[in-house]
Amino acid sequence: MAVVKRSVAWVDPLSVANGLRSRPHALALIAGANAPLRHGGRWSFVAAEADLEHVTDQSPAQGLFDVLRHGDWDQAPCVGLVSYDAGARVATGPRAHVWPDLMLARYPAWLAFDHLEQRLWACGWGGGDDAARGHSLRAEAWLACADAPEMPAPPSDDFNAEAAQEDYCRAVADVVRRIGEGELFQANVARAWSGRLRPEADPFAVFLRLSSRGAAYGAWWRMGGRALVSNSPELFLMFDATTRRLEARPIKGTRPRHSDPVADRQAAQELLASEKDRAENLMIVDLMRNDLARVAQIGSVAVDELWGLEQHATVHHLTSVVSATARQGTGWADVLDATFPPGSITGAPKNQAMKVIAALEPPRGAWCGTLFARGFADGALTMASVLIRTAFFERSEQGWRWRALAGAGITAGSDPHAELEETGAKISALAEALAGRTVRTGD
């Protein structure tokens, strides 16, 4: 197989994505302006018209990632979405089915935007140089479709909580009780909202409205009658098959941002000093160390950073960095088998936390699963985000219906109303993008 990369004149990636938004398999992976260059901030990718797709509707508890070991996908430039429920099934057993377990698309043509060097590459992949060159020319032709977008109005008239706030507080209290009884140490418990877009509206409008906020892993992906809009700040895994470096950046610990600079600094300092949030973060760091150790060289797992402060448009976060060197012969499917679902959105111990979550929540679908891109910047590199700050859309005769969730990590020291407030802070950007709303406790 060959890859051809041709340097072309710079165009804004969001404008290109806007021009291709209605093409089959339209894809935009847009790095936020404030994202660290090493962790998602260097590259943006835009593509369409996949030449191969795969959907696993519902799989057994084992073998979900076997398809990634096949030649059609191994080392190919592709995008995949794995639903949370697919990974949780090993602990929870069969549950109601609300989203496909695994969605894959292979892209022989794509545009790669290098924000560090401000260079744009028209890329093609194929069985030989001529085929790859033809695909790169097709990618270059997409630039003629670039259309600078205007900011649309909120596309949804409703933003409906699926359960009462009191129900969420009771769920948090139940987890605190279970922790006190020794059943587990931590569990991430979520709230859900849903609604329908206006008949003339399209999910891409939500992506445009979120784009000004920036996130390391902004994403738009449309596969037939389904679409994803994500503004995730969280790296699940980076895997470089050449150097065999594995890296995870779990987020645990949150405070809302404030318009007043003094109050905002105080919130950040309070988060950094919070024993509860530091303990919550440390538990997930230990969980990720354990998960990575399953596929790592002995002695290579390390904590590169603990309790780093990250600041986003609506929240402050505590983020840690865990790394390892993968054993020889380890592939992306092996890494997913060992680590999915992400520890930051399950809890500890992971299997017991997933059982508790299943007892308290309806199926999550794709939320808190992962979206990964493999082979776009470098044939050996895979980047996977955690699908938080994400809305999912399904189209019917009545138009596009959407669903979004936000969760909080519950520990022995959790206060139900404080955790409720945290979910409101986390969903606020999507509430504004979808419906122009602010989510407040008591609504």
Side-chain angles (χ1 to χ4, degrees), residues 140-351:
E140 183 178 359
W142 290 338
L143 298 176
C145 302
D147 182 16
E150 296 181 0
M151 189 58 64
S156 182
D157 290 326
D158 50 7
F159 195 87
N160 304 318
E162 294 185 356
Q165 294 182 358
E166 294 78 7
D167 292 339
Y168 183 77
C169 290
R170 281 192 288 270
V172 172
D174 182 64
V175 173
V176 172
R177 175 187 60 79
R178 291 169 182 256
I179 293 171
E181 293 174 353
E183 185 176 339
L184 72 167
F185 301 110
Q186 180 183 161
N188 187 288
V189 181
R191 302 169 64 197
W193 293 261
S194 57
R196 194 177 297 277
L197 299 187
R198 291 192 297 273
E200 73 281 5
D202 183 271
F204 193 79
V206 182
F207 182 62
L208 288 178
R209 288 177 60 80
L210 283 173
S211 62
S212 62
R213 296 178 177 271
Y217 308 102
W220 155 258
W221 193 28
R222 183 167 175 173
M223 283 273 285
R226 296 186 177 91
L228 164 148
V229 171
S230 183
N231 203 43
S232 175
E234 184 171 2
L235 176 71
F236 172 35
L237 287 171
M238 179 186 73
F239 177 45
D240 188 325
T242 299
T243 65
R244 305 199 315 282
R245 177 178 170 84
L246 287 163
E247 185 174 306
R249 294 177 62 87
I251 288 175
K252 273 296 167 194
T254 304
R255 291 293 186 279
R257 299 295 303 267
H258 298 273
S259 57
D260 176 66
V262 174
D264 195 54
R265 284 195 298 270
Q266 289 176 341
Q269 291 304 312
E270 177 188 310
L271 177 60
L272 285 168
S274 168
E275 291 187 10
K276 182 263 184 187
D277 289 286
R278 288 158 70 96
E280 181 183 345
N281 189 287
L282 184 59
M283 276 189 275
I284 301 306
V285 166
D286 285 342
L287 188 155
M288 292 304 301
R289 290 173 63 234
N290 181 70
D291 282 356
L292 291 180
R294 296 172 184 166
V295 289
Q297 288 184 358
I298 295 174
S300 70
V301 179
V303 178
D304 298 339
E305 183 179 3
L306 190 61
W307 305 322
L309 180 68
E310 286 190 0
Q311 296 173 306
H312 303 277
T314 57
V315 292
H316 301 283
H317 279 313
L318 288 184
T319 301
S320 296
V321 181
V322 185
S323 67
T325 300
R327 292 194 296 267
Q328 289 285 358
T330 298
W332 179 235
D334 305 313
V335 173
L336 286 175
D337 272 334
T339 60
F340 190 79
S344 63
I345 48 73
T346 52
K350 183 188 278 190
N351 274 18

Side-chain angles (χ1 to χ4, degrees), residues 21 56 58 107 134 137 167 175 192 269 299 302 342 393 408 418:
R21 61 193 286 180
T56 299
Q58 192 166 16
Y107 290 90
L137 290 170
D167 292 339
V175 173
Q269 291 304 312
F393 301 80

